[in-house]
């Protein structure tokens, strides 16, 4: 086990790894992780705050960048993982949006309740 740890430590000290840490191939995806983390955090909020148009736009954006991350040479798997996570989070938000506005009809129920109390 110590041989494996030493090999991993040597890899982390290598010039190639240091160059990777100083490249946009690393920092671009790191900066991009804010989008899927925010979407994941928003899954706990009330679905009335979800914007359907923005959810669709962010889903399409992430799908396009997943393709880019896969096609660019060398492949940017960190960027791919970021946009894969964002696509999953946005599709979850989209499902919550559709469920809230079109399946449950929650806004209609609230409007009917307001009319009944008058």
């Amino acid at each position: 086990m110590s041989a494996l740890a030493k090999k991993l430590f040597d890899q982390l000290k290598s010039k190639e790894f240091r160059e990777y840490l100083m490249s946009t191939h690393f920092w671009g995806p790191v900066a991009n992780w804010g989008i899927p983390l925010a979407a994941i955090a928003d899954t706990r909020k009330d679905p009335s705050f979800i914007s359907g148009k923005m959810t669709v736009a962010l889903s399409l954006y992430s799908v396009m960048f997943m393709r880019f991350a896969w096609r660019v040479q060398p492949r940017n798997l960190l960027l791919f993982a970021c946009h894969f996570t964002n696509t999953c989070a946005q599709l979850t938000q989209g499902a919550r949006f559709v469920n809230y506005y079109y399946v449950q009809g929650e806004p209609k129920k609230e409007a009917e309740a307001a009319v009944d109390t008058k």
Side-chain angles (χ1 to χ4, degrees):
M1 191 65 170
S2 67
L4 181 63
K6 181 175 177 6
K7 188 175 181 177
L8 177 64
F9 186 69
D10 288 342
Q11 180 68 27
L12 293 175
K13 289 185 349 183
S14 71
K15 182 179 188 253
E16 292 83 18
F17 187 73
R18 285 192 313 268
E19 287 177 358
Y20 172 69
L21 286 180
M22 297 301 140
S23 71
T24 57
H25 224 66
F26 175 77
W27 287 107
V30 168
N32 234 346
W33 269 101
I35 298 170
L37 292 176
I40 291 168
D42 286 348
T43 59
R44 296 187 178 267
K45 294 182 180 174
D46 188 63
S48 64
F49 294 112
I50 299 172
S51 168
K53 292 178 182 179
M54 184 57 80
T55 300
V56 170
L58 285 170
S59 297
L60 293 174
Y61 158 79
S62 283
V63 167
M64 288 187 298
F65 270 92
M66 272 178 22
R67 182 185 182 280
F68 169 79
W70 189 258
R71 299 290 302 221
V72 70
Q73 291 299 324
R75 286 190 174 136
N76 194 337
L77 297 179
L78 187 57
L79 184 64
F80 184 86
C82 172
H83 285 292
F84 179 80
T85 304
N86 190 42
T87 300
C88 293
Q90 295 302 331
L91 291 176
T92 301
Q93 289 292 77
R96 292 179 68 222
F97 177 82
V98 168
N99 185 41
Y100 182 77
Y101 285 103
Y102 298 106
V103 176
Q104 290 179 345
E106 191 66 29
K108 292 178 189 173
K109 289 179 188 176
E110 291 173 4
E112 289 171 2
V115 171
D116 290 340
T117 58
K118 288 183 180 180

Coordinates of all heavy atoms in Angstrom, one line a residue, residues 62-91:
S62 N -25.4 23.0 -21.1 CA -24.6 21.9 -20.5 C -24.4 20.7 -21.5 O -23.4 20.1 -21.5 CB -25.2 21.4 -19.2 OG -24.8 22.4 -18.2
V63 N -25.5 20.4 -22.2 CA -25.4 19.3 -23.2 C -24.3 19.7 -24.3 O -23.5 18.9 -24.6 CB -26.7 19.0 -23.8 CG1 -26.6 18.1 -25.0 CG2 -27.6 18.3 -22.8
M64 N -24.4 20.9 -24.7 CA -23.4 21.4 -25.7 C -22.0 21.3 -25.2 O -21.1 20.9 -25.9 CB -23.8 22.8 -26.3 CG -25.0 22.8 -27.1 SD -25.3 24.4 -27.9 CE -25.5 25.4 -26.5
F65 N -21.8 21.8 -24.0 CA -20.4 21.8 -23.4 C -20.0 20.4 -23.0 O -18.8 20.2 -23.0 CB -20.3 22.8 -22.3 CG -19.9 24.1 -22.7 CD1 -20.8 25.1 -23.1 CD2 -18.6 24.4 -22.9 CE1 -20.4 26.3 -23.5 CE2 -18.2 25.7 -23.4 CZ -19.1 26.6 -23.7
M66 N -20.9 19.5 -22.7 CA -20.5 18.1 -22.5 C -19.9 17.5 -23.8 O -18.8 16.9 -23.8 CB -21.7 17.2 -22.1 CG -22.0 17.2 -20.6 SD -23.4 16.3 -20.1 CE -23.7 15.1 -21.3
R67 N -20.5 17.8 -24.9 CA -20.0 17.4 -26.2 C -18.6 18.0 -26.5 O -17.7 17.3 -26.9 CB -20.9 17.7 -27.3 CG -20.4 17.3 -28.7 CD -21.4 17.7 -29.8 NE -20.9 17.2 -31.1 CZ -19.9 17.7 -31.8 NH1 -19.3 18.8 -31.4 NH2 -19.6 17.2 -33.0
F68 N -18.5 19.3 -26.2 CA -17.2 20.0 -26.4 C -16.1 19.4 -25.5 O -15.0 19.1 -26.0 CB -17.4 21.5 -26.0 CG -16.0 22.2 -26.0 CD1 -15.4 22.6 -27.1 CD2 -15.4 22.5 -24.7 CE1 -14.1 23.2 -27.0 CE2 -14.2 23.1 -24.7 CZ -13.6 23.5 -25.8
A69 N -16.4 19.1 -24.2 CA -15.4 18.6 -23.3 C -15.0 17.2 -23.8 O -13.9 16.8 -23.6 CB -16.0 18.5 -21.9
W70 N -15.9 16.4 -24.4 CA -15.6 15.1 -24.9 C -14.7 15.2 -26.2 O -13.8 14.4 -26.4 CB -16.8 14.3 -25.1 CG -16.5 12.9 -25.4 CD1 -16.6 12.2 -26.6 CD2 -16.1 11.9 -24.4 NE1 -16.2 10.9 -26.4 CE2 -16.0 10.7 -25.1 CE3 -15.9 11.9 -23.0 CZ2 -15.6 9.5 -24.5 CZ3 -15.5 10.7 -22.4 CH2 -15.4 9.6 -23.1
R71 N -15.0 16.1 -27.0 CA -14.4 16.2 -28.3 C -13.0 16.9 -28.3 O -12.2 16.7 -29.2 CB -15.3 16.9 -29.3 CG -16.6 16.2 -29.6 CD -16.5 15.0 -30.4 NE -15.8 15.3 -31.6 CZ -16.1 14.7 -32.8 NH1 -17.0 13.9 -32.9 NH2 -15.4 15.1 -33.8
V72 N -12.8 17.8 -27.4 CA -11.6 18.6 -27.4 C -10.4 17.6 -27.0 O -10.6 16.6 -26.3 CB -11.6 19.7 -26.3 CG1 -11.7 19.2 -24.9 CG2 -10.5 20.7 -26.5
Q73 N -9.3 17.9 -27.6 CA -8.1 17.0 -27.3 C -7.1 17.8 -26.5 O -6.7 18.9 -27.0 CB -7.5 16.5 -28.7 CG -8.4 15.6 -29.4 CD -8.6 14.3 -28.6 OE1 -7.7 13.8 -27.9 NE2 -9.8 13.8 -28.7
P74 N -6.6 17.4 -25.4 CA -7.0 16.2 -24.8 C -8.3 16.4 -24.1 O -8.7 17.5 -23.8 CB -5.9 16.0 -23.7 CG -5.4 17.3 -23.4 CD -5.5 18.1 -24.7
R75 N -9.1 15.3 -23.9 CA -10.4 15.3 -23.4 C -10.4 16.0 -22.0 O -9.5 15.7 -21.2 CB -11.0 13.9 -23.2 CG -11.4 13.4 -24.5 CD -12.2 12.1 -24.4 NE -12.7 11.7 -25.7 CZ -12.7 10.5 -26.1 NH1 -12.3 9.5 -25.4 NH2 -13.1 10.2 -27.3
N76 N -11.3 16.8 -21.7 CA -11.4 17.5 -20.5 C -12.5 16.8 -19.6 O -13.7 17.2 -19.7 CB -11.7 19.0 -20.7 CG -11.5 19.8 -19.4 OD1 -11.5 19.2 -18.3 ND2 -11.2 21.1 -19.6
L77 N -12.1 15.8 -18.9 CA -13.1 15.0 -18.1 C -13.7 15.8 -16.9 O -14.8 15.5 -16.5 CB -12.5 13.7 -17.7 CG -12.1 12.8 -18.9 CD1 -11.5 11.5 -18.4 CD2 -13.3 12.5 -19.8
L78 N -12.9 16.7 -16.4 CA -13.4 17.5 -15.3 C -14.5 18.4 -15.8 O -15.6 18.6 -15.1 CB -12.3 18.4 -14.7 CG -12.5 19.2 -13.5 CD1 -13.1 18.2 -12.3 CD2 -11.3 19.9 -13.0
L79 N -14.4 19.0 -17.0 CA -15.4 19.8 -17.6 C -16.6 19.0 -17.9 O -17.8 19.4 -17.7 CB -14.9 20.6 -18.8 CG -15.9 21.5 -19.5 CD1 -16.2 22.7 -18.6 CD2 -15.3 22.0 -20.8
F80 N -16.4 17.8 -18.4 CA -17.5 16.9 -18.8 C -18.3 16.5 -17.5 O -19.5 16.5 -17.6 CB -16.9 15.6 -19.4 CG -18.0 14.6 -19.9 CD1 -18.5 14.8 -21.1 CD2 -18.4 13.6 -19.1 CE1 -19.5 13.9 -21.6 CE2 -19.4 12.7 -19.5 CZ -19.9 12.9 -20.7
A81 N -17.6 16.2 -16.4 CA -18.3 15.8 -15.2 C -19.1 17.0 -14.7 O -20.2 16.8 -14.2 CB -17.3 15.4 -14.2
C82 N -18.5 18.2 -14.8 CA -19.3 19.4 -14.3 C -20.6 19.6 -15.1 O -21.6 19.7 -14.5 CB -18.4 20.6 -14.5 SG -19.2 22.2 -14.2
H83 N -20.5 19.5 -16.4 CA -21.7 19.7 -17.2 C -22.6 18.5 -17.2 O -23.9 18.7 -17.3 CB -21.3 20.0 -18.6 CG -20.8 21.5 -18.7 ND1 -21.6 22.5 -18.5 CD2 -19.6 22.0 -18.9 CE1 -20.9 23.6 -18.6 NE2 -19.7 23.3 -18.9
F84 N -22.1 17.3 -17.0 CA -23.0 16.1 -16.8 C -23.8 16.3 -15.5 O -25.0 16.1 -15.5 CB -22.2 14.8 -16.7 CG -23.0 13.6 -16.5 CD1 -23.7 13.0 -17.5 CD2 -23.1 13.1 -15.2 CE1 -24.5 11.9 -17.4 CE2 -23.9 11.9 -15.0 CZ -24.6 11.4 -16.1
T85 N -23.2 16.8 -14.4 CA -23.8 17.0 -13.2 C -24.9 18.1 -13.3 O -26.0 18.0 -12.8 CB -22.8 17.4 -12.1 OG1 -21.9 16.4 -12.0 CG2 -23.5 17.6 -10.7
N86 N -24.5 19.2 -14.1 CA -25.4 20.3 -14.3 C -26.6 19.8 -15.1 O -27.8 20.2 -14.8 CB -24.8 21.5 -14.9 CG -25.7 22.7 -14.9 OD1 -26.3 23.0 -14.0 ND2 -25.7 23.4 -16.1
T87 N -26.4 19.0 -16.1 CA -27.5 18.5 -16.9 C -28.5 17.7 -16.1 O -29.7 17.9 -16.1 CB -27.0 17.6 -18.1 OG1 -26.2 18.4 -18.9 CG2 -28.1 17.1 -18.9
C88 N -28.0 16.8 -15.2 CA -28.8 16.0 -14.3 C -29.6 16.9 -13.4 O -30.8 16.7 -13.2 CB -28.0 15.0 -13.6 SG -27.3 13.7 -14.6
A89 N -28.9 17.9 -12.8 CA -29.6 18.8 -11.9 C -30.7 19.7 -12.6 O -31.8 19.9 -12.0 CB -28.6 19.8 -11.2
Q90 N -30.4 20.2 -13.8 CA -31.3 21.0 -14.5 C -32.5 20.1 -15.0 O -33.7 20.6 -15.0 CB -30.7 21.6 -15.7 CG -29.6 22.7 -15.4 CD -30.2 23.8 -14.5 OE1 -31.3 24.2 -14.5 NE2 -29.3 24.3 -13.7
L91 N -32.3 18.9 -15.3 CA -33.4 18.0 -15.7 C -34.3 17.7 -14.5 O -35.5 17.6 -14.6 CB -32.9 16.7 -16.4 CG -32.3 16.9 -17.7 CD1 -31.7 15.6 -18.2 CD2 -33.2 17.5 -18.7

